[in-house]
């Protein structure tokens, strides 16, 4: 029934004991600016329909039991400023479509099962202040382009499988 609330702008059910899955009808909430469902027990995948929420500025789904891949439709949320998906069971790679979120200030994917390399495309996120990718299965080198974030204040990539020799070299240490 929540999909019938088409004029809803803010939805906050954070810090509850909500179970079940996110319904596909969430995509009907065209006026939604803020979706806060953090610290619950939501399961299943993030529906592709999430990409229909074109007015969304904050998406906070952290500390649930969500699984599957981050849908590439997330890249349609051009007004998004905060994307917080940490402490779930998300898998797959970081979708390169996230790079289209030019207003994004906070991106946290901490404590998931995300693998693969950190996409160099993330360097296009010039408004980014926080990039938290720690405690995943990320591999490879840190993209050099990440050093060009003009506003980045917090950058966490610990507890991954990144190339340690490369990280030591970036830090000015010999491997």
């Amino acid at each position: 029934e929540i999909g019938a609330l088409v004029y809803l702008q803010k939805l906050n059910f954070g810090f509850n004991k909500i179970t079940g899955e996110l319904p596909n009808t969430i995509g009907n909430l065209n006026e939604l600016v803020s979706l806060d469902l953090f610290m619950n027990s939501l399961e299943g995948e993030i529906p592709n329909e999430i990409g229909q929420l074109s007015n969304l500025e904050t998406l906070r789904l952290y500390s649930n039991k969500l699984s599957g891949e981050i849908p590439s439709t997330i890249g349609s949320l051009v007004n998004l400023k905060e994307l917080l998906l940490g402490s779930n069971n998300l898998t797959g790679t970081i979708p390169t479509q996230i790079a289209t979120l030019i207003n994004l200030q906070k991106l946290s994917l901490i404590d998931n099962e995300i693998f693969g390399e950190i996409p160099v495309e993330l360097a296009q996120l010039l408004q980014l202040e926080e990039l938290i990718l720690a405690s995943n299965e990320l591999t490879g080198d840190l993209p050099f382009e990440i050093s060009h974030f003009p506003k980045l204040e917090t950058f966490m990539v610990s507890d991954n499988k990144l190339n340690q020799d490369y990280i030591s070299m970036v830090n000015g240490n010999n491997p």
Side-chain angles (χ1 to χ4, degrees):
E1 293 85 22
I2 203 150
L5 303 172
V6 294
Y7 298 108
L8 192 65
Q9 293 184 355
K10 295 182 181 182
L11 178 61
N12 187 336
F13 285 130
F15 288 106
N16 282 286
K17 297 179 181 176
I18 298 173
T19 59
E21 296 185 4
L22 283 172
N24 294 344
T25 57
I26 200 92
N28 296 344
L29 306 178
N30 296 326
E31 300 298 318
L32 206 58
V33 174
S34 178
L35 179 57
D36 293 309
L37 300 173
F38 55 87
M39 307 236 10
N40 283 292
S41 293
L42 294 170
E43 297 177 320
E45 297 186 6
I46 300 171
N48 285 324
E49 289 79 4
I50 204 98
Q52 297 171 7
L53 305 177
S54 58
N55 292 312
L56 204 60
E57 293 180 8
T58 58
L59 178 58
R60 300 181 187 120
L61 301 177
Y62 61 88
S63 295
N64 278 289
K65 299 175 183 177
L66 297 170
S67 59
E69 297 186 11
I70 300 169
S72 60
T73 58
I74 285 260
S76 301
L77 305 177
V78 294
N79 292 308
L80 205 58
K81 294 179 182 175
E82 289 187 32
L83 178 58
L84 309 180
L85 303 177
S87 297
N88 280 292
N89 299 313
L90 297 172
T91 60
T93 59
I94 300 172
T96 57
Q97 291 84 352
I98 288 179
T100 63
L101 306 177
I102 59 170
N103 296 304
L104 200 61
Q105 297 169 359
K106 296 180 181 181
L107 173 60
S108 177
L109 305 176
I110 190 172
D111 191 26
N112 278 291
E113 299 169 22
I114 297 170
F115 56 83
E117 295 189 359
I118 299 172
V120 67
E121 290 86 354
L122 293 186
Q124 298 171 34
L125 301 174
L126 299 178
Q127 301 303 313
L128 212 56
E129 298 169 4
E130 289 184 14
L131 178 58
I132 303 174
L133 305 174
S135 300
N136 279 289
E137 301 291 323
L138 296 170
T139 57
D141 294 336
L142 290 173
F144 175 75
E145 292 79 2
I146 285 180
S147 65
H148 292 69
F149 286 126
K151 297 184 179 183
L152 194 64
E153 296 174 3
T154 304
F155 179 55
M156 295 173 57
V157 293
S158 60
D159 196 23
N160 276 292
K161 298 177 179 177
L162 295 169
N163 183 340
Q164 293 301 314
D165 291 342
Y166 182 80
I167 291 171
S168 295
M169 184 178 65
V170 169
N171 289 332
N173 303 325
N174 291 326

